[in-house]
Amino acid sequence: MSTLTLVLVAAVITIGSRVAALAVLPPPPDALAGVVGRLPAPLFAALAAHSLVGTDGSGPEPAIVVAAVCALAAAARWPSLLITLAAGLGGFGAASLVL
């Protein structure tokens, strides 16, 4: 299976499950909605930690560290996952040009 096919299948499953959940399930109680609203930050932190430690135990590239710091700063300021990801990508791009 090609990479593009795999990404498209993952996107269809992700979007399909979210649309189905919105259409079929009732809204969650307030307490559960608060927990679900905070899930993107820990998930992003887990992904960032995974990318900061290489598979061979070596340290990360400097551009990845800059990306993680930019994403962390954005996440502390804005609760939007899109802004956090954009800040990380922007930090990575800028650091790649400079370093």
Side-chain angles (χ1 to χ4, degrees), residues 70-80 83-84:
C70 290
L72 181 63
R77 173 69 176 94
W78 296 283
S80 169
I83 293 173
T84 302

Side-chain angles (χ1 to χ4, degrees), residues 17-94:
S17 66
R18 289 181 183 197
V19 168
L22 286 173
V24 176
L25 298 175
D30 289 339
L32 183 59
V35 171
V36 171
R38 290 185 177 90
L39 276 179
L43 291 175
F44 179 74
L47 290 172
H50 184 300
S51 68
L52 288 175
V53 178
T55 56
D56 58 355
S58 64
E61 295 180 23
I64 300 223
V65 174
V66 172
V69 170
C70 290
L72 181 63
R77 173 69 176 94
W78 296 283
S80 169
L81 184 60
L82 181 61
I83 293 173
T84 302
L85 290 173
L89 288 173
F92 182 81

